[in-house]
């Protein structure tokens, strides 16, 4: 039980530092990628060993966040990773292979209890991205 309480205390300290950084930067929202890769094909998260995601920080801190589609991976943009012996790099290259047509998202996060900001920024981004030619209107074939 004490290990659990220690973990909660560590999370509270991390959350406080994260919120202090937002205060120092005077940010109401953060716009960032949800993943370091395009959308994952079904089953490819197993190749990565775990889902490598930028959403984790907002899950840990308990902040509201959401993702909107921004574009699609073009045929010539699938991967520029060189062959590597690093397992994570090999898995990422494998996941990126054949990713043409998959959506690329943008994540929006805001402070606690400010879902209204997340939704407003997401709506503005969605309205903009829908006018772009690479917007993923339909699922890839």
């Amino acid at each position: 039980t004490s290990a659990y309480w220690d973990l909660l205390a560590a999370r509270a300290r991390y959350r406080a530092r994260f919120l202090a950084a937002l205060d120092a930067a005077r940010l109401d929202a953060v716009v960032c990628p949800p993943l370091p890769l395009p959308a994952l094909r079904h089953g490819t998260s197993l190749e990565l060993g775990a889902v490598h995601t930028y959403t984790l920080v907002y899950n840990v801190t308990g902040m509201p966040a959401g993702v909107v589609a921004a574009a699609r991976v073009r045929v010539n943009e699938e991967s520029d990773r060189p062959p590597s012996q690093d397992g994570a790099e090999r898995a990422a290259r494998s996941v990126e292979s054949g990713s043409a047509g998959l959506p690329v998202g943008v994540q929006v996060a805001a402070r606690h209890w400010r879902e209204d900001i997340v939704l407003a920024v997401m709506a503005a981004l969605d309205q903009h991205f829908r006018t772009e030619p690479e917007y993923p209107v339909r699922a890839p074939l």
Side-chain angles (χ1 to χ4, degrees), residues 65-108:
V67 176
V68 294
R72 288 186 185 273
V73 177
R74 295 182 189 127
V75 172
N76 61 348
E77 295 178 334
E78 291 182 77
S79 185
D80 60 356
R81 295 177 194 271
S84 173
Q85 296 301 312
D86 180 85
E89 284 293 318
R90 283 198 321 264
R93 188 170 191 231
S94 172
V95 167
E96 289 174 336
S97 174
S99 64
L102 291 177
V104 176
V106 174
Q107 177 177 224
V108 179

Side-chain angles (χ1 to χ4, degrees), residues 18-42:
F18 193 86
L19 291 172
L22 289 179
D23 290 341
R26 300 181 63 197
L27 296 177
D28 293 320
V30 176
V31 177
C32 60
L35 294 165
L37 299 164
L40 303 178
R41 295 183 320 277
H42 182 70

Side-chain angles (χ1 to χ4, degrees), residues 9-24 61:
R11 182 182 68 171
R13 287 189 304 273
Y14 178 79
R15 182 184 307 161
R17 286 194 319 270
F18 193 86
L19 291 172
L22 289 179
D23 290 341
T61 58

